[in-house]
Amino acid sequence: MAKLALWLVCRSCGREFDTRLRLDRKSFERGTLAANYHTCPYCGERLTYKKAEYLTRER
Ligand SMILES: [Zn+2]
């Protein structure tokens, strides 16, 4: 099962960053992933993100 890397676009500075979360596709599709906190490594802003905001990258 391929793991997906979950990335986000920071709502504060607009840069993409790797959340370091790794899930297989099934877990991602089934999971709710509601309101998770992530800290942007560029601007340091800590914000909540919803599942729909994650960018998934096959690795
Ligand atoms: Zn940022």
Side-chain angles (χ1 to χ4, degrees):
M1 179 72 67
K3 288 275 185 188
L4 296 175
L6 304 188
W7 287 60
L8 283 171
V9 176
C10 173
R11 282 200 304 273
S12 180
C13 69
R15 293 212 245 182
E16 284 184 22
F17 67 93
D18 186 351
T19 64
R20 294 200 289 268
L21 289 176
R22 299 291 181 266
L23 287 174
D24 61 56
R25 184 171 289 284
K26 274 205 182 105
S27 301
F28 181 72
E29 283 167 4
R30 287 177 185 167
T32 50
L33 294 171
N36 293 285
Y37 274 99
H38 292 286
T39 303
C40 173
Y42 300 107
C43 68
E45 205 64 67
R46 189 164 177 267
L47 298 167
T48 56
Y49 292 90
K50 298 187 296 263
K51 183 178 178 179
E53 293 176 281
Y54 288 105
L55 310 170
T56 58
R57 295 192 174 159
E58 292 295 334
R59 355 174 48 225

